[in-house]
């Protein structure tokens, strides 16, 4: 689970970080959930393995990209972190790279895949990823060097990761982000992971966050938070 690597602690770290948190756009598994109204046998279908975006999800990415271009955020973000699940990578590339006909004056931030920020793992095929060797071909824009295993060695067939485990993983991820030199970082991840991470930041590390920030993200929703150095003490 500690797949972020041994990043050394820098002596001169930023006094604050601005994180742009994005939940992936609608995936085909979300469509199944909306049809059934609750998680059931449909989510166990192997057809949902490493679920891609739905047509509506692709449109959501396009709309979010337009907003980011208009806001100038594309020139502000220094690094994009993405879950290595397909729906998250399609969202990350679609928003922060887009099509080849865009204005080439934009300075594209690098996109880095990390296992630690993927969705709650286990049981459902939609949360099991394809091999990295396969995904490198589909996503040449993404740096996969920090993903240690080619095949998915973290997904559990018999049970799902519990929420406490997700929260702990989220705090380890934030600590790793804090020790990086970039001040403005985008994270493209998943609803449960983002919500549990923010709740843990608020409840376990006493970082003040508005109630609206702690609610479940909509598909392709972007929220920004600023974390001040003086407001958080990372627990070992």
């Amino acid at each position: 689970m500690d797949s972020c690597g041994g990043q050394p602690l820098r002596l001169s770290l930023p006094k604050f970080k601005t994180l742009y948190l994005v939940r992936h756009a609608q995936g085909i598994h979300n469509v199944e959930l909306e049809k059934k109204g609750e998680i059931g046998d449909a989510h166990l279908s192997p057809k949902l393995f490493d679920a891609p975006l739905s047509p509506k999800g692709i449109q959501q990415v396009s709309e979010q990209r337009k907003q980011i271009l208009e806001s100038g955020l594309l020139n502000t973000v220094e690094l994009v972190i993405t879950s290595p699940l397909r729906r998250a990578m399609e969202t990350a590339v679609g928003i922060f790279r887009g099509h080849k006909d865009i204005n080439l004056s934009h300075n594209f931030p690098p996109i880095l895949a990390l296992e630690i920020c993927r969705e709650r793992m286990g049981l459902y095929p939609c949360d099991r990823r394809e091999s990295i060797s396969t995904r490198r071909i589909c996503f040449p824009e993404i740096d996969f060097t920090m993903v240690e295993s080619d095949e998915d060695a973290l997904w559990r067939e018999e049970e799902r990761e519990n929420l406490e485990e997700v929260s702990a993983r989220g705090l380890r991820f934030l600590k790793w982000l804090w020790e990086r030199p970039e001040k403005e970082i985008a994270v493209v991840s998943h609803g449960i992971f983002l919500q549990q991470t923010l709740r843990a930041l608020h409840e376990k590390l006493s970082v003040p966050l508005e109630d609206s920030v702690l609610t479940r993200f909509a598909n392709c929703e972007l929220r920004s938070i600023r974390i001040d150095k003086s407001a958080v003490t990372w627990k070992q």
Side-chain angles (χ1 to χ4, degrees):
M1 300 284 284
D2 288 309
S3 56
C4 283
Q7 186 76 18
L9 183 64
R10 291 170 173 79
L11 296 178
S12 180
L13 296 174
K15 294 183 178 180
F16 67 88
K17 297 271 189 180
T18 301
L19 304 182
Y20 302 96
L21 307 176
V22 184
R23 182 189 176 192
H24 64 80
Q26 185 192 69
I28 61 171
H29 66 301
N30 296 132
V31 177
E32 290 299 318
L33 178 60
E34 291 174 4
K35 286 180 182 177
K36 303 295 181 181
E38 60 182 11
I39 293 178
D41 291 343
H43 264 57
L44 297 176
S45 170
K47 294 181 180 179
L48 298 179
F49 170 66
D50 202 0
L53 296 183
S54 68
K56 180 179 178 180
I58 294 172
Q59 181 60 35
Q60 290 173 336
V61 168
S62 177
E63 292 171 358
Q64 183 62 259
R65 177 168 177 76
K66 289 179 183 177
Q67 294 180 27
I68 285 179
L69 284 171
E70 292 171 358
S71 69
L73 188 60
L74 190 62
N75 292 321
T76 300
V77 171
E78 300 165 75
L79 175 68
V80 179
I81 302 293
T82 182
S83 154
L85 292 177
R86 180 176 174 180
R87 57 192 181 272
M89 293 191 294
E90 288 180 338
T91 301
V93 171
I95 290 176
F96 293 99
R97 290 297 173 89
H99 301 291
K100 293 181 180 179
D101 59 354
I102 60 171
N103 188 338
L104 296 179
S105 66
H106 285 295
N107 227 350
F108 295 125
I111 304 177
L112 179 66
L114 284 183
E115 294 269 40
I116 202 169
C117 65
R118 58 190 284 186
E119 183 57 299
R120 184 179 180 186
M121 291 178 282
L123 195 58
Y124 301 125
C126 62
D127 297 328
R128 185 177 188 178
R129 68 164 173 79
E130 179 60 272
S131 68
I132 295 303
S133 55
T134 298
R135 288 296 177 237
R136 275 198 176 100
I137 298 172
C138 301
F139 298 96
E141 308 93 338
I142 297 178
D143 180 353
F144 292 99
T145 55
M146 295 197 71
V147 180
E148 296 179 357
S149 173
D150 184 46
E151 299 296 333
D152 192 343
L154 300 177
W155 185 80
R156 308 170 180 178
E157 187 173 0
E158 300 299 329
E159 62 178 351
R160 270 191 117 188
E161 185 181 24
N162 65 50
L163 294 180
E164 187 62 29
E165 289 174 315
V166 177
S167 296
R169 182 157 55 89
L171 289 181
R172 292 200 303 274
F173 172 59
L174 288 179
K175 185 175 187 296
W176 178 83
L177 284 182
W178 188 256
E179 293 173 356
R180 290 194 60 89
E182 298 89 358
K183 290 184 178 180
E184 304 208 16
I185 302 173
V187 178
V188 182
S189 185
H190 307 263
I192 293 176
F193 178 80
L194 292 173
Q195 186 176 32
Q196 289 301 119
T197 298
L198 290 172
R199 285 182 173 179
L201 186 65
H202 178 62
E203 296 169 6
K204 296 185 177 184
L205 300 188
S206 301
V207 174
L209 295 173
E210 298 290 335
D211 289 343
S212 59
V213 175
L214 302 175
T215 59
R216 184 69 180 270
F217 282 62
N219 285 123
C220 215
E221 180 183 359
L222 183 152
R223 297 179 192 172
S224 62
I225 63 168
R226 172 172 161 154
I227 305 176
D228 290 282
K229 185 177 181 180
S230 60
V232 58
T233 299
W234 298 106
K235 299 177 181 179
Q236 300 300 320

